[in-house]
Amino acid sequence: MRLNPEGKLELLKRKVIYTGMEKKFKPKPSLKTNNDTGFGSNANNYGGRFVNRDGTFNLRREGVPFLKRLSIYHKMLNMPRWKFAASIIVVYITINLLYSMIYLLLGRSQFTGMIANTPWQTFKELYFFSTETFTTVGYGRINPIGDGANIIAAFEAMNGFLSFAVVTGLMYGRFSKPKSYLTFSEHALIAPFQDKTALMFRFANYKDHHVLTNVEIKVSMALRTEENGEAKYNFYDLTLERNKVDSLSMNWTVVHPIDDNSPITGFTEEDMRNADAEIYVLVSGFDDVYSCSVLQRTSYTFNEMKFGAKFIPMYRESDDGNTTILEMHKLHETMEARI
Amino acid sequence: MRLNPEGKLELLKRKVIYTGMEKKFKPKPSLKTNNDTGFGSNANNYGGRFVNRDGTFNLRREGVPFLKRLSIYHKMLNMPRWKFAASIIVVYITINLLYSMIYLLLGRSQFTGMIANTPWQTFKELYFFSTETFTTVGYGRINPIGDGANIIAAFEAMNGFLSFAVVTGLMYGRFSKPKSYLTFSEHALIAPFQDKTALMFRFANYKDHHVLTNVEIKVSMALRTEENGEAKYNFYDLTLERNKVDSLSMNWTVVHPIDDNSPITGFTEEDMRNADAEIYVLVSGFDDVYSCSVLQRTSYTFNEMKFGAKFIPMYRESDDGNTTILEMHKLHETMEARI
Amino acid sequence: MRLNPEGKLELLKRKVIYTGMEKKFKPKPSLKTNNDTGFGSNANNYGGRFVNRDGTFNLRREGVPFLKRLSIYHKMLNMPRWKFAASIIVVYITINLLYSMIYLLLGRSQFTGMIANTPWQTFKELYFFSTETFTTVGYGRINPIGDGANIIAAFEAMNGFLSFAVVTGLMYGRFSKPKSYLTFSEHALIAPFQDKTALMFRFANYKDHHVLTNVEIKVSMALRTEENGEAKYNFYDLTLERNKVDSLSMNWTVVHPIDDNSPITGFTEEDMRNADAEIYVLVSGFDDVYSCSVLQRTSYTFNEMKFGAKFIPMYRESDDGNTTILEMHKLHETMEARI
Amino acid sequence: MRLNPEGKLELLKRKVIYTGMEKKFKPKPSLKTNNDTGFGSNANNYGGRFVNRDGTFNLRREGVPFLKRLSIYHKMLNMPRWKFAASIIVVYITINLLYSMIYLLLGRSQFTGMIANTPWQTFKELYFFSTETFTTVGYGRINPIGDGANIIAAFEAMNGFLSFAVVTGLMYGRFSKPKSYLTFSEHALIAPFQDKTALMFRFANYKDHHVLTNVEIKVSMALRTEENGEAKYNFYDLTLERNKVDSLSMNWTVVHPIDDNSPITGFTEEDMRNADAEIYVLVSGFDDVYSCSVLQRTSYTFNEMKFGAKFIPMYRESDDGNTTILEMHKLHETMEARI
């Protein structure tokens, strides 16, 4: 685990230079591949990992016009708060600049009540006339009397009106956008579990009140293999000790027992690297704050798997004995475990 | 059933001091535990009941920054109406105080049309200038003419604009938030039912027009047991006489027959207490006013179970014979029943 | 079929006076009752039909405070358009009356710019000052200068602000409320179908663009019977020739074959009446205009069933041969059919 | 493939003139028809194709009043952006024209502060008074003083208020309307696939961030046949090599193997034409930007099927090897394939 200069965990890329000398992963014939991942198998056409840690696909589109491809709604909804506020302020200033330019071109004589003596003062006065029109404040000291000024002001007021409607919609969209507030452990661990070895990771909901119900998890693994001299990826469903819980109130440790049905039975760290292993995680559930199904994706590449470590417990009884405490800061904490 | 000073039913805590002398609950080996409740089994790490009567989990989070943990949307949506209104008024007064302070600092000379003679009057006049700017009323007697005042007023008008958008979003969120308007009987009853004994509780929708469709119910029970000297909780699905109805137009009495498949067959009140029994109820259905699935949780601890009582009927034909009357006030009413 | 004075189909009530002389319906022991309708079986506690033609339950609540029982959101959303508009206008006029009363009490001296000469003129002037404050127009000829007037005006502007937010939310709620725009045939018909007899009704979507997908239908029948001298209702699922279609683009005729598995095999009109027959229909589907599941209920009592009639076809090829025409006006049209 | 004058692909109509000499399609008795398409089978009542390329049904309604049939919400939400903006501007201008007419009728004497000298100037001045009232700007130079003008202005301000609410709702509706941004290949191809022949088409999501999850596809085929001298349509489910994928991040080529279970085994282009073949495609999935299920329909008639062509690959590794590139412009590109 390395932290990059901004203090964030540096997520290693999956890109590996193959020397041709590595032991190749040969799947057992009895292993059933998962054909429904939605990924094609041609290894040469893929770059880097399949899925990023934040759940987005590691994919770019080409040949679609930018505006058609762009999802403005998605962009405005997922922008950090400060950026959203900044965008609004910038747009506000720009629109008013535009309108005040037009008023300036129409000329001062189209307005009554102005007190400016210099061109610069005139510009400023018209700029603030524009803001009070756009926001529909309309103090009214300055008043359009010329036809041009009246038409533009009527248009600007309507424009303000509509901008307001847009912003209201976006605001509400941001509020009400369903999200599954899950954090996943930084590493997937491979360690003894009961009398076998298992691959494990865990996650929890960090938001108060947002309890997921009917939570299901699906974990697939991509392994690079060679068939008839051609590199390709095989995808496998990982069987889980448990793949659904009724309510996700606490943390959940997902366990894939590495037994004979596992594609990685007997793998060493080196083997994982050679097979370019990546697991792809999809959690779904019902959030009753939004009364909506929510999804969250993530992935772990072989660089994000740790051998010989297990998670430490992360809940305890409160001091007064009346409540249970979920210790979220321990989510990523592990201790050594002999394999 | 005790009422606390505010007249509400006092819900007893599950916390029990064990003397070590109690008969321990030993589950029959044939009983299948439910591993999908989402709760861990380690009894020592749990404090108090699992789920509160209102359906929230009896759980606190630690180690997540307050703002990240806080669900403002959830808070604003679930606040009582008067609190929501009060918050808005307080915010409104505060924001205007802030802006009027700035106007005061900029100085009276930045405005025309003021009539105040004393500093206190000046403050008041600027305060109300601020309110008419923020709400975009803009009467216009007082008018910003200085640059500072103009900039701040333009900003305040936009700020008012945005606040309005936020409030509109919250209002709509409050209106349209799907809820399952269910009330549950105060007690779960244990009484004879047909030729067996059964555990029963009932619930009904108290809201007109809100009919739940495809209603499903799931009831689990937590029982404290000891294994190898360690206290732990076992969770059991309770089999129900009926676990779904097509439409919840009336009340529904949920019946768990206490037969050989029940984990509490042969239990006395004392046994329930010793096993720290708690049942966890999850109702889901489709509400066609919101066109949305809704969920409601609740729980009954052993203190909220009553032996030897059964529910009295709660509907009757109307006097004119054309309608059925649902007598909601009888929801909690029971009569004695010999066990 | 009778039309009442307003030209609407008069829906007969199910209420029947029993003389005690009727042949009683005796269900065959092999018939399975449907226990999941959500209705209780005690016949004496029911008044009139179970479900109204418009799909609401024929049910009233008692013992819940009016405001708790009332679903304002549902009310405002399902009000006819003119009533919604009228409510808004009435509320608007009333609120302004209230505020203008307060301004009148505070006295004319708290305002500048007034031109009224008589008390009646003063009231009118203050009333229109109130409207321009509430709507945040704020022309500004009249201006509050007294403290009281300023405070109330600041409050009124905020109040207007919030009212606007409420109305915006309601408007959007009305727009975006998912609905299944289905009309059902006025009668359920009992007529020969292929080589058997069948009970049939049909329905179609009358709205352009609103296509239901994955449409499922469930039909249950309530029949009054006597068991041990006590009148009770039995509920039966009716088996349907087809109970789902992929897309409801056209009309759908729902067919229940009256064979040995039908509870009403061999019934005459008289038998239907004696058994107080009512069928309860629940249609569900996915509407992709709203991207939402929608539900619609209806019911037919024995008075709304017709023996010896079948539906006439209701679609045809367009004249240019390029399109299909759905003839909605023929939905209720039937022709005679020998039983 | 022909492009019409506007450069769009001209979609041929299915309408075919039959000479009576064509080989008639005779379905094998073992083939199971799909009775759940929602289409009736009477061929003479159908005109043109069943489903249009854009997924709407080729259907018109008759006998429903225009306003009842019209889905305004759907219309406003699916209008192109420029048309939506234009509608708003037209409505804005019209409403203000109406109000200014009323003000004109009431007479100039009902207002103070007017400076107009000619009737035309008076009209203009009142028009702009109307716009500042409707938008609640309210500069206030012109002021209603007569009762009539006051009442109308109060009403207009409220009207502006409500129009704003409507527009806000529509804007938000447009933003947040769930859509499945899928493009389908222009043609369905019939070509060798592995060791059989198959019918294939493909589609992909052209929008960034919008990943569909749990994607299912259902493909049905309509074939015209003759039974007892009567033309009718039979509908068949087409079995697919794969009918669901976990996530639609990339493109998906849907493959129907033309084997013994296929209704079109052994068909030539001529046979397809004679049987008036049309396939109807329904894709459903969960979009986590909207947290909503979305649907998309399309269809291919025999004119939109191509024999002896297969798709070329449409993704590749990026130059730096860290990402995969989806080449959307290649979606429709095919190469020759011997059958």
Side-chain angles (χ1 to χ4, degrees):
Chain A
M1 190 179 123
R2 295 181 303 177
L3 296 183
N4 63 16
E6 293 101 59
K8 292 191 185 161
L9 182 71
E10 187 174 327
L11 299 169
L12 300 173
K13 299 296 186 217
R14 208 179 46 158
K15 197 66 199 174
V16 181
I17 310 305
Y18 289 92
T19 61
M21 296 293 291
E22 304 91 350
K23 200 174 85 185
K24 285 289 177 343
F25 160 63
K26 292 233 172 49
K28 285 189 296 180
S30 64
L31 269 180
K32 263 189 61 177
T33 57
N34 169 3
N35 292 319
D36 297 339
T37 54
F39 298 112
S41 61
N42 187 333
N44 293 326
N45 288 7
Y46 280 105
R49 60 195 303 165
F50 288 93
V51 178
N52 299 314
R53 276 312 294 268
D54 67 1
T56 57
F57 286 86
N58 186 19
L59 193 74
R60 263 205 325 264
R61 270 175 185 75
E62 224 180 65
V64 189
F66 175 71
L67 279 175
K68 193 177 173 196
R69 205 178 68 215
L70 179 72
S71 178
I72 303 180
Y73 184 65
H74 178 275
K75 262 245 145 45
M76 296 304 290
L77 253 54
N78 290 279
M79 220 171 243
R81 222 168 284 180
W82 67 267
K83 221 171 166 178
F84 183 71
S87 315
I88 288 176
I89 294 176
V90 167
V91 168
Y92 177 64
I93 293 177
T94 313
I95 288 181
N96 282 303
L97 268 179
L98 264 161
Y99 278 106
S100 50
M101 290 305 181
I102 299 175
Y103 295 132
L104 210 57
L105 285 176
L106 287 169
R108 189 185 158 143
S109 61
Q110 300 234 344
F111 298 87
T112 59
M114 291 186 67
I115 54 173
N117 294 319
T118 66
W120 171 238
Q121 282 177 347
T122 305
F123 166 71
K124 284 191 296 182
E125 219 172 353
L126 288 173
Y127 186 85
F128 292 116
F129 168 73
S130 167
T131 61
E132 58 176 88
T133 301
F134 188 79
T135 58
T136 78
V137 165
Y139 294 119
R141 176 171 54 82
I142 304 171
N143 234 277
I145 46 168
D147 284 359
N150 262 319
I151 288 169
I152 300 299
F155 193 81
E156 182 175 13
M158 190 200 66
N159 193 170
F161 221 64
L162 296 183
S163 308
F164 193 3
V166 171
V167 169
T168 304
L170 287 175
M171 284 272 182
Y172 180 66
R174 287 176 66 96
F175 281 149
S176 66
K177 176 167 171 28
K179 246 179 288 185
S180 62
Y181 299 98
L182 304 179
T183 15
F184 288 84
S185 61
E186 273 156 9
H187 290 88
L189 310 183
I190 293 176
F193 173 79
Q194 291 164 0
D195 51 344
K196 305 171 251 191
T197 301
L199 183 148
M200 287 168 273
F201 58 88
R202 67 179 174 183
F203 61 96
N205 194 322
Y206 61 83
K207 207 78 169 178
D208 287 346
H209 305 293
H210 284 269
V211 175
L212 288 188
T213 307
N214 294 328
V215 190
E216 291 199 349
I217 191 161
K218 192 161 185 185
V219 185
S220 315
M221 183 175 259
L223 290 172
R224 189 187 164 97
T225 175
E226 230 184 77
E227 230 163 80
N228 312 325
E230 242 181 84
K232 55 174 280 191
Y233 284 104
N234 279 351
F235 302 92
Y236 301 95
D237 281 341
L238 298 191
T239 53
L240 304 178
E241 184 221 17
R242 175 176 309 158
N243 70 344
K244 66 182 289 294
V245 297
D246 294 344
S247 306
L248 183 68
S249 49
M250 322 272 296
N251 62 305
W252 180 7
T253 302
V254 179
V255 176
H256 162 63
I258 305 182
D259 54 18
D260 280 1
N261 299 314
S262 170
I264 52 168
T265 181
F267 270 44
T268 62
E269 278 197 71
E270 194 55 26
D271 293 339
M272 292 297 247
R273 181 186 173 83
N274 283 339
D276 199 13
E278 175 175 345
I279 66 174
Y280 164 39
V281 178
L282 177 61
V283 182
S284 65
F286 182 86
D287 179 321
D288 58 342
V289 169
Y290 300 118
S291 272
C292 214
S293 292
V294 289
L295 278 185
Q296 196 161 331
R297 291 185 180 80
T298 193
S299 94
Y300 294 92
T301 66
F302 63 87
N303 281 314
E304 292 144 14
M305 298 176 192
K306 221 160 138 179
F307 279 70
K310 64 177 187 184
F311 292 113
I312 63 171
M314 57 180 284
Y315 64 97
R316 65 162 209 274
E317 188 176 16
S318 68
D319 294 340
D320 65 1
N322 285 330
T323 299
T324 306
I325 310 279
L326 190 57
E327 301 164 305
M328 289 297 295
H329 47 103
K330 294 189 179 164
L331 181 70
H332 308 293
E333 282 181 36
T334 61
M335 52 185 286
E336 218 178 315
R338 283 282 156 75
I339 303 205
Chain B
M1 189 179 124
R2 294 181 305 177
L3 297 182
N4 64 16
E6 292 102 58
K8 291 192 183 159
L9 182 71
E10 187 173 327
L11 299 168
L12 301 173
K13 299 295 186 219
R14 208 178 46 158
K15 196 68 198 172
V16 181
I17 309 304
Y18 289 92
T19 61
M21 296 294 289
E22 304 90 351
K23 201 174 83 184
K24 284 291 178 338
F25 160 63
K26 292 234 171 50
K28 286 191 295 181
S30 65
L31 269 180
K32 263 189 61 179
T33 57
N34 169 2
N35 292 318
D36 296 339
T37 54
F39 299 113
S41 61
N42 188 332
N44 293 325
N45 288 7
Y46 280 103
R49 60 195 301 163
F50 289 93
V51 178
N52 299 314
R53 276 312 294 269
D54 65 2
T56 58
F57 285 86
N58 185 19
L59 193 74
R60 264 207 322 267
R61 269 174 185 77
E62 223 181 66
V64 189
F66 175 72
L67 278 174
K68 192 177 173 194
R69 205 178 68 215
L70 180 72
S71 178
I72 302 180
Y73 184 65
H74 179 274
K75 262 244 144 49
M76 296 303 290
L77 253 55
N78 289 280
M79 222 171 242
R81 221 168 285 182
W82 68 267
K83 221 171 165 178
F84 183 72
S87 314
I88 288 176
I89 295 176
V90 168
V91 168
Y92 177 63
I93 293 176
T94 313
I95 288 180
N96 281 302
L97 268 179
L98 265 161
Y99 277 106
S100 52
M101 290 305 181
I102 299 174
Y103 295 131
L104 210 57
L105 286 176
L106 288 168
R108 190 186 155 140
S109 60
Q110 301 234 343
F111 299 86
T112 59
M114 291 185 68
I115 55 174
N117 295 318
T118 66
W120 172 236
Q121 281 177 347
T122 305
F123 166 72
K124 284 191 296 184
E125 219 172 352
L126 288 173
Y127 186 85
F128 294 115
F129 168 74
S130 166
T131 61
E132 58 176 90
T133 301
F134 187 79
T135 57
T136 77
V137 167
Y139 296 119
R141 177 169 55 80
I142 305 172
N143 233 276
I145 45 167
D147 285 358
N150 262 318
I151 289 169
I152 300 297
F155 194 81
E156 183 175 13
M158 189 200 66
N159 193 169
F161 221 64
L162 296 183
S163 308
F164 192 3
V166 170
V167 169
T168 303
L170 287 175
M171 284 272 183
Y172 180 66
R174 286 176 67 95
F175 281 149
S176 66
K177 179 171 168 26
K179 248 180 286 186
S180 62
Y181 298 98
L182 304 178
T183 17
F184 288 84
S185 62
E186 273 157 9
H187 290 87
L189 309 182
I190 293 176
F193 174 79
Q194 291 162 0
D195 53 343
K196 305 172 249 189
T197 301
L199 184 149
M200 286 168 273
F201 57 89
R202 68 178 174 184
F203 61 97
N205 195 322
Y206 60 83
K207 208 78 169 178
D208 287 346
H209 306 292
H210 284 270
V211 174
L212 289 188
T213 306
N214 294 328
V215 190
E216 291 199 350
I217 190 161
K218 194 163 183 183
V219 185
S220 314
M221 183 175 257
L223 291 172
R224 189 186 164 97
T225 176
E226 231 183 77
E227 231 163 79
N228 312 324
E230 242 180 83
K232 56 173 280 192
Y233 283 104
N234 279 351
F235 302 92
Y236 301 95
D237 280 343
L238 298 192
T239 53
L240 304 178
E241 186 221 14
R242 176 176 311 159
N243 70 344
K244 66 182 290 295
V245 297
D246 295 342
S247 306
L248 183 67
S249 49
M250 321 272 296
N251 61 305
W252 180 7
T253 302
V254 179
V255 176
H256 162 64
I258 305 182
D259 55 17
D260 281 2
N261 298 314
S262 169
I264 53 168
T265 181
F267 269 44
T268 61
E269 278 197 70
E270 194 56 25
D271 293 339
M272 292 295 248
R273 181 186 173 84
N274 283 338
D276 200 12
E278 175 175 344
I279 65 174
Y280 164 39
V281 178
L282 177 61
V283 182
S284 64
F286 182 86
D287 178 321
D288 58 342
V289 170
Y290 301 118
S291 273
C292 213
S293 294
V294 289
L295 277 185
Q296 195 161 331
R297 290 187 181 79
T298 193
S299 94
Y300 295 92
T301 66
F302 62 88
N303 282 312
E304 292 144 14
M305 298 176 193
K306 222 160 137 179
F307 279 70
K310 64 177 186 183
F311 293 114
I312 64 172
M314 57 180 285
Y315 64 98
R316 64 160 210 275
E317 190 176 15
S318 69
D319 294 340
D320 64 1
N322 285 329
T323 299
T324 307
I325 310 280
L326 191 58
E327 302 164 305
M328 289 297 296
H329 46 103
K330 294 190 179 163
L331 181 70
H332 309 293
E333 283 181 36
T334 60
M335 53 185 285
E336 217 177 317
R338 282 283 157 75
I339 303 204
Chain C
M1 191 180 123
R2 293 181 304 178
L3 296 182
N4 63 17
E6 291 103 59
K8 291 192 184 159
L9 181 72
E10 187 174 327
L11 299 168
L12 301 172
K13 299 296 186 217
R14 206 180 45 160
K15 197 68 198 173
V16 180
I17 310 304
Y18 289 93
T19 62
M21 296 293 290
E22 303 90 352
K23 202 174 80 183
K24 284 290 177 342
F25 161 63
K26 291 233 174 48
K28 286 190 296 182
S30 64
L31 269 180
K32 263 190 62 180
T33 57
N34 169 3
N35 292 316
D36 296 340
T37 53
F39 298 113
S41 61
N42 188 331
N44 293 325
N45 289 6
Y46 279 103
R49 60 197 299 165
F50 289 94
V51 177
N52 298 313
R53 276 310 295 269
D54 67 0
T56 57
F57 286 87
N58 185 18
L59 193 75
R60 265 206 322 267
R61 268 174 186 77
E62 223 179 66
V64 189
F66 174 72
L67 278 174
K68 194 179 172 192
R69 206 179 68 215
L70 179 72
S71 178
I72 302 179
Y73 184 65
H74 179 275
K75 262 243 144 49
M76 296 304 291
L77 254 55
N78 290 278
M79 222 170 241
R81 222 167 284 180
W82 68 267
K83 219 170 167 179
F84 183 72
S87 314
I88 288 177
I89 294 177
V90 168
V91 168
Y92 177 64
I93 293 177
T94 314
I95 289 182
N96 281 303
L97 268 179
L98 264 161
Y99 277 107
S100 52
M101 290 305 180
I102 300 175
Y103 294 132
L104 209 58
L105 285 176
L106 288 168
R108 190 187 155 139
S109 60
Q110 299 233 347
F111 298 88
T112 60
M114 290 184 68
I115 55 173
N117 294 318
T118 66
W120 171 238
Q121 282 178 347
T122 306
F123 166 72
K124 284 192 296 183
E125 218 171 354
L126 288 174
Y127 186 85
F128 293 116
F129 168 74
S130 168
T131 61
E132 59 176 89
T133 301
F134 188 79
T135 57
T136 78
V137 167
Y139 296 118
R141 177 170 55 82
I142 305 171
N143 233 275
I145 47 169
D147 284 359
N150 262 317
I151 288 169
I152 299 299
F155 193 81
E156 183 176 12
M158 189 198 67
N159 194 169
F161 221 63
L162 295 183
S163 308
F164 192 4
V166 170
V167 169
T168 304
L170 287 175
M171 284 272 184
Y172 180 66
R174 286 177 66 96
F175 282 148
S176 66
K177 179 169 170 26
K179 247 180 287 186
S180 63
Y181 298 98
L182 305 178
T183 16
F184 288 83
S185 62
E186 273 156 9
H187 290 88
L189 310 182
I190 292 177
F193 174 79
Q194 290 163 1
D195 52 343
K196 304 171 250 188
T197 301
L199 184 149
M200 287 168 272
F201 58 89
R202 67 178 175 186
F203 61 97
N205 195 322
Y206 59 84
K207 207 78 171 176
D208 287 346
H209 306 292
H210 284 270
V211 175
L212 289 188
T213 307
N214 293 327
V215 190
E216 292 199 350
I217 191 160
K218 195 165 181 180
V219 185
S220 315
M221 183 174 258
L223 291 172
R224 190 188 164 96
T225 176
E226 231 183 77
E227 229 162 80
N228 310 324
E230 241 179 84
K232 55 173 281 191
Y233 284 104
N234 278 351
F235 302 92
Y236 300 95
D237 281 342
L238 298 191
T239 52
L240 304 177
E241 185 221 17
R242 177 177 309 158
N243 70 344
K244 66 182 289 296
V245 298
D246 295 344
S247 306
L248 182 68
S249 49
M250 321 271 297
N251 62 306
W252 179 8
T253 303
V254 179
V255 176
H256 162 64
I258 305 182
D259 55 18
D260 280 1
N261 299 314
S262 170
I264 52 169
T265 181
F267 269 45
T268 61
E269 278 198 72
E270 194 56 26
D271 294 339
M272 292 296 247
R273 182 186 173 83
N274 284 338
D276 199 12
E278 175 175 345
I279 66 173
Y280 164 38
V281 178
L282 177 61
V283 182
S284 65
F286 182 87
D287 178 321
D288 58 342
V289 169
Y290 301 118
S291 272
C292 215
S293 294
V294 288
L295 277 185
Q296 196 162 330
R297 290 185 180 80
T298 194
S299 94
Y300 294 93
T301 66
F302 63 89
N303 281 314
E304 292 144 14
M305 298 176 192
K306 222 161 138 179
F307 279 70
K310 65 176 187 184
F311 292 113
I312 64 171
M314 57 179 284
Y315 63 97
R316 64 163 209 274
E317 190 177 13
S318 68
D319 294 340
D320 64 0
N322 285 329
T323 299
T324 307
I325 310 278
L326 190 58
E327 301 165 303
M328 291 295 296
H329 46 103
K330 294 191 180 163
L331 181 70
H332 309 293
E333 283 181 35
T334 61
M335 51 185 287
E336 218 178 315
R338 283 280 157 76
I339 302 204
Chain D
M1 189 180 125
R2 294 181 303 178
L3 296 183
N4 62 18
E6 292 102 58
K8 290 191 184 162
L9 181 70
E10 188 174 327
L11 300 168
L12 301 173
K13 300 296 187 219
R14 205 179 47 160
K15 197 66 198 174
V16 181
I17 310 303
Y18 289 93
T19 61
M21 296 294 290
E22 303 91 350
K23 200 175 84 184
K24 285 287 176 347
F25 160 62
K26 292 231 173 49
K28 286 189 296 180
S30 64
L31 269 180
K32 262 188 64 178
T33 57
N34 169 3
N35 293 317
D36 296 340
T37 54
F39 298 113
S41 59
N42 187 333
N44 293 326
N45 289 7
Y46 279 104
R49 59 196 301 165
F50 289 95
V51 178
N52 299 314
R53 276 310 295 268
D54 66 1
T56 57
F57 286 86
N58 185 19
L59 193 74
R60 265 205 324 265
R61 270 175 185 76
E62 223 180 66
V64 189
F66 175 71
L67 279 174
K68 194 178 171 194
R69 205 178 69 215
L70 179 73
S71 178
I72 303 180
Y73 184 65
H74 179 274
K75 262 244 143 45
M76 295 304 290
L77 253 54
N78 289 279
M79 221 170 242
R81 222 168 285 179
W82 67 267
K83 220 170 167 179
F84 183 72
S87 316
I88 289 176
I89 294 176
V90 167
V91 168
Y92 178 63
I93 293 177
T94 314
I95 288 181
N96 281 303
L97 268 179
L98 265 161
Y99 278 106
S100 51
M101 289 307 181
I102 301 175
Y103 294 132
L104 209 57
L105 285 177
L106 288 169
R108 189 186 158 142
S109 61
Q110 301 234 344
F111 298 87
T112 59
M114 291 184 67
I115 54 173
N117 294 319
T118 66
W120 172 237
Q121 282 177 348
T122 305
F123 167 72
K124 284 191 296 182
E125 218 172 355
L126 288 173
Y127 186 85
F128 293 116
F129 168 73
S130 167
T131 61
E132 58 177 89
T133 301
F134 187 79
T135 57
T136 78
V137 166
Y139 295 120
R141 177 171 54 82
I142 305 171
N143 233 275
I145 47 167
D147 284 358
N150 262 318
I151 288 169
I152 300 299
F155 194 82
E156 182 175 12
M158 189 199 67
N159 193 170
F161 221 63
L162 295 184
S163 308
F164 192 2
V166 170
V167 170
T168 305
L170 287 175
M171 285 272 184
Y172 180 65
R174 287 176 67 96
F175 281 149
S176 66
K177 177 166 170 29
K179 248 180 284 185
S180 62
Y181 298 98
L182 304 179
T183 15
F184 288 84
S185 62
E186 273 157 9
H187 290 88
L189 310 182
I190 293 177
F193 174 78
Q194 290 163 1
D195 51 344
K196 303 171 253 193
T197 302
L199 183 149
M200 286 168 275
F201 58 89
R202 67 179 174 183
F203 60 96
N205 194 322
Y206 60 83
K207 207 79 170 176
D208 287 346
H209 305 294
H210 284 269
V211 175
L212 289 188
T213 307
N214 294 327
V215 189
E216 291 199 349
I217 190 161
K218 194 164 183 181
V219 185
S220 315
M221 182 175 259
L223 290 173
R224 191 187 163 97
T225 176
E226 232 184 74
E227 230 164 80
N228 310 324
E230 241 180 85
K232 55 173 281 191
Y233 283 105
N234 278 350
F235 302 92
Y236 300 95
D237 281 342
L238 299 191
T239 53
L240 304 177
E241 185 219 18
R242 176 176 310 159
N243 70 343
K244 66 183 289 295
V245 299
D246 294 344
S247 306
L248 182 69
S249 49
M250 320 273 296
N251 63 305
W252 180 7
T253 302
V254 178
V255 176
H256 162 63
I258 305 182
D259 55 17
D260 280 1
N261 298 315
S262 170
I264 52 168
T265 180
F267 270 43
T268 61
E269 277 197 73
E270 194 55 26
D271 294 339
M272 292 296 247
R273 182 186 172 84
N274 283 338
D276 199 13
E278 175 175 345
I279 66 174
Y280 164 40
V281 179
L282 177 61
V283 182
S284 65
F286 183 86
D287 178 321
D288 57 343
V289 170
Y290 300 118
S291 272
C292 215
S293 293
V294 288
L295 277 185
Q296 195 160 331
R297 290 186 181 80
T298 194
S299 94
Y300 294 93
T301 65
F302 63 87
N303 281 314
E304 292 145 14
M305 298 177 193
K306 222 161 140 178
F307 279 69
K310 64 178 186 181
F311 293 113
I312 64 171
M314 57 180 284
Y315 64 97
R316 65 162 208 276
E317 190 177 14
S318 69
D319 294 340
D320 64 0
N322 285 329
T323 299
T324 306
I325 310 277
L326 190 58
E327 301 165 304
M328 291 295 296
H329 46 103
K330 295 191 180 163
L331 182 69
H332 309 293
E333 283 181 35
T334 61
M335 52 185 286
E336 217 179 316
R338 283 281 157 75
I339 302 204

